[in-house]
Amino acid sequence: MDTFNHLKTIISIILSLGIGTLLNGSVRFIQHPGRNKPFWLHLLFVLYVFILMIHFWWWEYRLRAITSWTFTQYIFIIAYIILFFVLCTLLYPTDVKDYGNDYKNYFFSRRKWLFAFLGIMFCLDLVDTLYKGKDYLDSLMPLYGIRMITHIPLSFALIFIHSKKNIYYAGVLLFFILFEIFFIYKRYYLYS
């Protein structure tokens, strides 16, 4: 087995566990509609993480072009997907009894953790991209630069907003979702 296939296997296992967590958690609202009260902002965050993971899984195929792997590159990729798994598990805990079986209460009590892990993911992605060199960074510009300049500060800013007004979170999450869809479109469809 070559290095890429070995790495791809590990990535696929961890990503599939995360995606499975999101899908199982979302389907539980249909299976047991009266058990836990869903919250639309929580579901918006779930949708965003799902889109990010699907995008990453597609991007992962490009890793086959790397012929020589370093342990540092390996650690960055593994850390990145572990953060995805942590986010998925945070979004759908084993139960929300401590929060009145209400995902609104859960979302606001865990929002700092959710947005902190999201911000850390963006920072780790930026470090990984810079590590790969100027040519790689240039190939992603200008959208990647806009993404990092906006997403990192917004993610960390939402940690410190103590309002239970949905407008801040909804605005940022909708911006993130629309930006990610545009980023995917521009990267994979516009020039194919």
Side-chain angles (χ1 to χ4, degrees):
M1 182 183 289
D2 65 2
T3 307
F4 171 68
N5 283 325
H6 176 70
L7 183 64
K8 182 177 74 168
T9 302
I10 294 167
I11 291 171
S12 297
I13 289 169
I14 297 172
L15 280 176
S16 62
L17 287 171
I19 288 174
T21 300
L22 292 183
L23 294 176
N24 283 330
S26 298
V27 168
R28 267 187 259 140
F29 291 124
I30 299 168
Q31 291 173 331
H32 308 288
R35 189 173 293 170
N36 296 316
K37 187 176 176 188
F39 179 51
W40 66 275
L41 276 178
H42 170 263
L43 293 174
L44 209 56
F45 203 113
V46 168
L47 175 64
Y48 179 57
V49 172
F50 182 76
I51 292 169
L52 282 177
M53 291 179 79
I54 295 300
H55 182 197
F56 179 78
W57 210 328
W58 182 258
W59 170 87
E60 168 204 342
Y61 188 69
R62 295 179 65 210
L63 296 177
R64 76 189 185 293
I66 300 173
T67 55
S68 177
W69 282 89
T70 66
F71 191 71
T72 305
Q73 290 169 317
Y74 171 75
I75 290 299
F76 271 116
I77 295 288
I78 296 302
Y80 192 70
I81 59 171
I82 286 172
L83 285 173
F84 269 128
F85 181 76
V86 169
L87 256 179
C88 294
T89 305
L90 276 174
L91 283 166
Y92 282 116
T94 5
D95 68 64
V96 286
K97 290 177 188 171
D98 295 341
Y99 309 94
N101 292 328
D102 188 340
Y103 272 92
K104 180 177 185 178
N105 296 335
Y106 178 76
F107 177 82
F108 283 113
S109 73
R110 294 293 165 247
R111 70 175 164 65
K112 290 180 181 183
W113 287 99
L114 292 167
F115 287 104
F117 277 112
L118 191 62
I120 291 167
M121 279 181 55
F122 290 128
C123 289
L124 191 59
D125 182 28
L126 180 60
V127 170
D128 179 55
T129 300
L130 294 173
Y131 177 77
K132 290 176 181 165
K134 185 179 178 347
D135 291 338
Y136 181 73
L137 178 63
D138 289 345
S139 74
L140 299 174
M141 294 306 247
L143 278 180
Y144 183 79
I146 295 168
R147 181 187 198 203
M148 292 299 121
I149 289 170
T150 58
H151 288 43
I152 291 172
L154 285 172
S155 295
F156 288 122
L158 288 177
I159 294 170
F160 300 105
I161 292 177
H162 296 292
S163 174
K164 284 201 173 188
K165 293 186 179 185
N166 300 338
I167 188 89
Y168 304 116
Y169 305 101
V172 170
L173 286 170
L174 284 172
F175 169 68
F176 283 3
I177 289 169
L178 293 174
F179 190 92
E180 193 66 23
I181 291 169
F182 180 71
F183 189 77
I184 291 167
Y185 172 75
K186 184 104 167 140
R187 186 95 183 129
Y188 301 111
Y189 294 106
L190 199 57
Y191 300 110
S192 55

